Amino acid sequence: MAKGSTTPWSYILIRLLFKFVLKIFYGTIVVENADIIPKTGQPCIVCANHPNSLTDALLLVTSMPSKTRNMLRLTAKSTQFGHRTFTSWLIESAGTVPIKRRKDYNDSEVDNSQAMDKLMDAIELGDAVCLFPEGASRYHPTIAPLKTGVARIVSDVLSRNRDDPNFSVSILTCSITYMHRQHFRSDVLVTFNPPMTLTPKDNPELLAPVQYDEIRALTTRMQQQISSRTIDSPSWEFVRSAKMATRMYAPLGTLMSLGEYVRITRTFVEAFKASDDTQKSKRIVEDQSIDFTKEDIEFNQLRRDLKYYQDRLVHWGIKDDRIARPLSLGTITMRMVIRLTWFICLFTISLPGLVLWTPVFITTFIAVRNFKRTGPVWDTFDEIAQYKLVYGLFSGLSVWAACILLTLPSAAFTTFLVPAMMWMTLRWTEDAISAFRAFMALARLLCVGKKTLNEIRVTRRDLHSRLMNLAVGTLGLPDDPEKFFVERGGKQKGRVRSTWDSGAKYFSVRRRRKRDWNETLRLYDQVDYPEDDG
C-alpha cells in the first residue's frame, strides 16, 4: 500500500493555527463519523458542499484527525495564487493545486490538464485530495448541481491502474452545516458519510472508454450523500420555518445533539420542499399526473402559519419558549432581577479583557463592512467568515505581541496571561450577553398586553397540534422527542441547570454557554437571514 506524501511543516502550522482560530470563532464544532475516514496511504477524494468559501477547506483540514490522515491536499481557484497577501501565501504553502475556472477567464476555454495530472499523481501516492464539486462557494442554501469533475478523475485514475488488482480509490463525501456561517460563536456540524470504495475489478463501467451516463450516475450518488446529511433548501424562508418547526417539536431543554437538531430541521425542510405549491406548479407543466395531496396542502399552510407566528415573535421580541411555558408576574420579576444582576457581575469582571478584545472587534468590523460594499449578498456573504478569521487572527496576534512588548520585564508571564485572560473574557462575555438577552426577553414579555399574549398562545397551541400530527403521522418522527433523545443518549451542550450539571468544567473549551443551537454572540436571537436576490 502507498504511504502518502510527507506533511509539509507549513501545513502542520496552518492546521494547528486555524484549529485554534476556528474554535475561537465558532462556539461548537461537532465532527461526526471521523472514524470512517480512510487512513493515510489509501487513495481518497474528499468532496463536500461549499457554502463558506475558504473556511470550508480550513474546517475539513482541522476536522480530519492527523493520526488518521497526515494531510488533505486542497484545490482552489487559480486567481487566488501569486498575490502578495496572507491568503495567497496560506493557500500556496498548504500544497494547494490551482484550478482554472471559465468564469475567471471570460467564459473562454481553460486548460486544467496539468492540475488534473497533479491530483491523480497525489491520489496514486495514497494522498487525500479535497474537491468541492459545486464548483464555487455560494451563499444560497440550495446545493448546486455537482459538476462531473470528481467522477472523471476517478475514472481516469482507475483506468491508469486497471492492471493493478489491489488498487482502489475512495470517495469520501462530507456534509457541512453552519447554523449561521458568518456569525461569531455560532455552531458548525461536519458529517462524514460512508466512503464509496471503487476498484478496476468491481467497477469496470468506470474504465476508459467510459459512458457519460456512468459518470453522471456516480456524480448523482455523491450529491445524494452530501444532501442527505445537511440542510438543502430552495430558500432561506424554508430554513427559517423549518427551524421554527424544530423548536416547537423539540422544545428548549430537549437533550438533543447538534446532529439530531440538523437532521430534524432537514426533515421539515424536505417536507416543505415536497409539498411546495410553487415548485409543484413548475413540475405540473412537464407532468400532468402530479396532484396535490391532503398532506401537501397541510404542510404548505403549516409553513405559512409558522412564518406568520415567527414574524409575530420577532415583532414583539419574545421567544417561543415563553409562549409555550407562561410565567407569572412574580416569576418574571424575580428572574429579571437575577439576570440583570448576573449580567452586571459578569460584564464588570470582563471589562479588562474586553479592552484587549476591542482592537480585534473593531478591525474585523471595518474589514467586513468594507467587503460587504464590494458586491450583493449572494456574492459576498459566503466570504464574510473568511475575512473575520483572517483579520481576527492578525489583530489578535498584534494585541498579544503589543502586550508582550509593553511588559518586557515580565514578558514570560504576559505571554501566557494575555491569551488566558482573553479566553476567559470570551467565556464571561458569552454568559453576560446570554443573561442580558434573557433579561430583555422577559422585559419585552411585560410590554405585551395580556390580550395579545393570549392570542399568540392560542395560535401556538393550534400550530403545535397540527405540527405534531404531521410530524408523527406523516413524517414518522417520535411522538415524545424529549424521551426519545434521552434514550438515544443525546446531549445538549446547553446552559447548565446546576453548578456542574453539564459534566464539563467551567473553564473547558468544550463547554457551551447557550440554551439553543441557533444562538450566536448577539443581544438578540438570530432567526432571520439577509435577503438573497441572486
Side-chain angles (χ1 to χ4, degrees), residues 145-194:
L146 302 191
K147 300 184 183 299
T148 58
V150 173
R152 292 180 183 279
I153 291 174
V154 169
S155 175
D156 289 344
V157 170
L158 290 177
S159 298
R160 281 169 49 161
N161 294 271
R162 67 172 71 215
D163 296 327
D164 183 354
N166 298 318
F167 183 81
S168 67
V169 58
S170 297
I171 300 177
L172 179 68
T173 59
C174 179
S175 307
I176 304 175
T177 309
Y178 297 90
M179 293 299 97
H180 296 282
R181 77 195 77 185
Q182 73 272 25
H183 291 314
F184 192 40
R185 305 303 289 170
S186 61
D187 306 304
V188 190
L189 176 68
V190 181
T191 304
F192 290 103
N193 303 306

Side-chain angles (χ1 to χ4, degrees), residues 62-77:
T62 57
S63 296
M64 300 187 79
S66 57
K67 292 182 180 179
T68 303
R69 297 249 35 145
N70 65 327
M71 69 176 293
L72 180 64
R73 192 174 293 276
L74 305 172
T75 58
K77 56 185 179 182

